[in-house]
Amino acid sequence: MDSPLRTVLMTTLVAVVCAVLLVGVRGVVSASVDRNLLIDEQRAVLDALDVRESGVALAWGSAAAVEDAFVRFVRKDRGAAGIEQEFDVFTYMVGSETRGVAIRVFGRGLWGEIRGFVALDPRPPGAERWPVRGLVIYRDEETPGLGKRMRDDDFKARFRTAAGKLVPGLRILKGEGSASGPLEVDGITAATITTQGVQGLIDRAVAWYAGEAGVASGESAHGG
Amino acid sequence: MAARGLVRKGALTDNPIVYQILGVCSALAVTNRFENALLMGVSLTFVVAGSSALVSALRHIIPKRTRMILEMLIIATFVIIVDLALKAYAWEAAKVMGAYVALIITNCIVMGRAEAFAIANPVRASFLDAVGNGLGYTWVLLAIALVREVLGTGKILFTTLAHAEVPVVPAALIRAIDGQFPLLLILPPGAFLVLGVLIWIVKALQGPGREV
């Protein structure tokens, strides 16, 4: 049997060997990992804003295609570059025309935090509500097959401009198949808490954005 | 034992999944896509080969009392290396397989080889033994995934290693079977069925006289 001193020393030595290995590998790959995280975020922004200009294919888009589309059409209007903060705002611009804005927002799902982008179309003149342009969750710990379905195209399609939904006042219903009109959206069957989390994201983003736009202080006449 | 024999033992005659029913959880979890099964197989082979070699190299200084926790530490180190490598060079796959990659730490094959072989054998033999077991795990995964993906979706989809779709069975045929059977294969129970049939076939080919 080894002496206690030797046991402690050798155990520490093996731990140090492992640590050195990890530090080395981390140093080699960290630049690539960081770039992938950034691309992933940019892809989510492009997806939320539904950027479909000049053959930008999101589903299969290479990292280069994502970077290219992001640089050409998206501007970060609020928040610092490279830092992930709630209520960062990304604006989709074609020339000088604003096509939409994506607001980064954090919330809670069933198992952990969910992070996503709520994208809105510009508000039509005189209107009180914004048309919803897109909803993309880019980080979550929801149940595969249930809550995770909020990432599927099927669920995302319910929040595209074509679906004609409006905020504020949009409610995600429990279950599927009963939504009607511009203020109701089908939820996900058997994922009620995840659905509530998504509702929370939308409400937070819209409340903040409406405040920024001056609606909260009754200045909508100027802002419209 | 000769190098060839060590590899052969792990890959075929003492295959960890077929004969020891080890590492089955991940064999079931990632085999609905051929590509993911391939990445998982390569990842596990790397982890088991790397950790076995390092455990073997350090076997004279690893104290007996802290032996298992140190084996675990070494295995975890290699799993994190794989995880980082996937995140750096195969991002899409890393997102799909993230949880399963972390769970390689608990894969019985890896700990099994460290504890049963590497802790008491020279580096070269331990490495070869581990590679054999990794290959044995990989081919079984690939076989299951091939059956599940081809019969479940009619094609083999590549999104990480390449952007390609290899049609194998006409889509019309898949639709014609009403979706139930293909769906069964894609869902987790399909993995159980295919694994069971595979083990049955291998043992039947081997003939009677071998009980494990």
Side-chain angles (χ1 to χ4, degrees):
Chain A
M1 187 59 76
D2 301 314
S3 73
L5 180 65
R6 184 175 185 278
T7 300
V8 170
L9 280 178
M10 291 306 163
T11 302
T12 310
L13 180 65
V14 175
V16 169
V17 169
C18 290
V20 168
L21 256 178
L22 280 184
V23 170
V25 172
R26 172 87 216 172
V28 172
V29 302
S30 65
S32 299
V33 175
D34 292 345
R35 177 161 182 270
N36 284 333
L37 282 169
L38 182 67
I39 300 284
D40 209 41
E41 181 196 27
Q42 294 184 342
R43 183 176 274 131
V45 173
L46 292 171
D47 190 10
L49 288 169
D50 207 13
V51 175
R52 303 279 165 206
E53 302 296 329
S54 55
V56 175
L58 286 177
W60 288 99
S62 65
V66 169
E67 279 177 321
D68 177 53
F70 198 86
V71 168
R72 276 163 59 198
F73 300 114
V74 180
R75 214 176 58 198
K76 190 167 184 180
D77 273 346
R78 186 176 177 282
I83 300 174
E84 188 176 337
Q85 278 178 311
E86 195 170 26
F87 307 129
D88 287 340
V89 174
F90 297 87
T91 307
Y92 175 18
M93 306 279 296
V94 177
S96 60
E97 179 201 354
T98 299
R99 296 270 176 95
V101 293
I103 304 146
R104 193 205 302 271
V105 69
F106 304 158
R108 286 205 68 76
L110 177 58
W111 301 115
E113 191 185 40
I114 47 182
R115 294 185 170 200
F117 293 102
V118 176
L120 307 176
D121 282 340
R123 189 162 48 167
E128 281 185 11
R129 300 178 201 272
W130 286 269
V132 178
R133 187 174 182 90
L135 170 76
V136 169
I137 307 296
Y138 67 96
R139 193 164 308 154
D140 72 86
E141 293 164 32
E142 300 311 289
T143 319
L146 296 174
K148 269 253 194 288
R149 282 179 52 211
M150 67 187 172
R151 286 187 164 202
D152 292 353
D153 289 340
D154 174 43
F155 186 71
K156 284 194 279 192
R158 299 174 197 172
F159 296 90
R160 292 294 181 207
T161 306
K165 303 303 175 189
L166 300 174
V167 287
L170 184 66
R171 281 191 54 243
I172 308 179
L173 304 181
K174 197 174 155 129
E176 276 156 272
S178 55
S180 68
L183 294 179
E184 289 183 352
V185 176
D186 280 332
I188 301 171
T189 307
T192 306
I193 295 181
T194 303
T195 307
Q196 287 166 359
V198 175
Q199 173 86 55
L201 285 191
I202 297 173
D203 291 347
R204 264 177 85 76
V206 172
W208 177 83
Y209 192 65
E212 287 288 296
V215 171
S217 51
E219 292 168 23
S220 58
H222 309 293
Chain B
M1 206 184 300
R4 185 187 278 257
L6 276 171
V7 175
R8 192 185 149 81
K9 186 162 177 284
L12 298 169
T13 55
D14 202 17
N15 186 287
I17 298 185
V18 175
Y19 292 113
Q20 306 171 46
I21 320 290
L22 291 180
V24 172
C25 333
S26 55
L28 302 179
V30 300
T31 50
N32 55 357
R33 290 263 316 270
F34 183 81
E35 187 180 44
N36 290 344
L38 183 60
L39 283 166
M40 188 68 184
V42 172
S43 303
L44 182 119
T45 304
F46 173 80
V47 170
V48 71
S51 59
S52 280
L54 190 56
V55 165
S56 171
L58 300 176
R59 70 186 186 282
H60 295 303
I61 70 160
I62 290 179
K64 224 177 168 48
R65 273 182 292 182
T66 54
R67 184 184 81 246
M68 294 191 79
I69 195 74
L70 287 179
E71 286 165 7
M72 213 67 197
L73 181 70
I74 289 168
I75 292 165
T77 303
F78 280 93
V79 170
I80 295 170
I81 291 174
V82 166
D83 194 43
L84 281 172
L86 283 176
K87 281 195 176 120
Y89 308 115
W91 177 255
E92 290 305 314
K95 280 205 293 190
V96 176
M97 307 186 6
Y100 303 118
V101 169
L103 285 174
I104 293 178
I105 294 178
T106 61
N107 190 307
C108 320
I109 298 174
V110 187
M111 190 68 182
R113 289 343 285 169
E115 183 63 9
F117 199 91
I119 197 75
N121 284 284
V123 175
R124 184 168 167 277
S126 300
F127 178 77
L128 291 170
D129 168 77
V131 168
N133 274 273
L135 292 177
Y137 174 86
T138 305
W139 82 253
V140 173
L141 250 66
L142 291 181
I144 299 172
L146 201 59
V147 172
R148 287 182 72 192
E149 187 169 11
V150 167
L151 295 185
T153 67
K155 59 196 179 224
I156 301 174
L157 185 67
F158 290 95
T159 52
T160 300
L161 305 171
H163 280 184
E165 218 181 87
V166 184
V168 183
V169 181
L173 187 65
I174 293 285
R175 274 196 301 275
I177 346 179
D178 199 23
Q180 290 306 314
F181 179 66
L183 185 64
L184 171 69
L185 284 175
I186 289 298
L187 293 174
F192 274 105
L193 288 177
V194 177
L195 177 63
V197 171
L198 182 82
I199 293 178
W200 178 27
I201 291 173
V202 171
K203 293 201 170 176
L205 287 177
Q206 209 117 43
R210 188 188 155 132
E211 276 305 318
V212 181

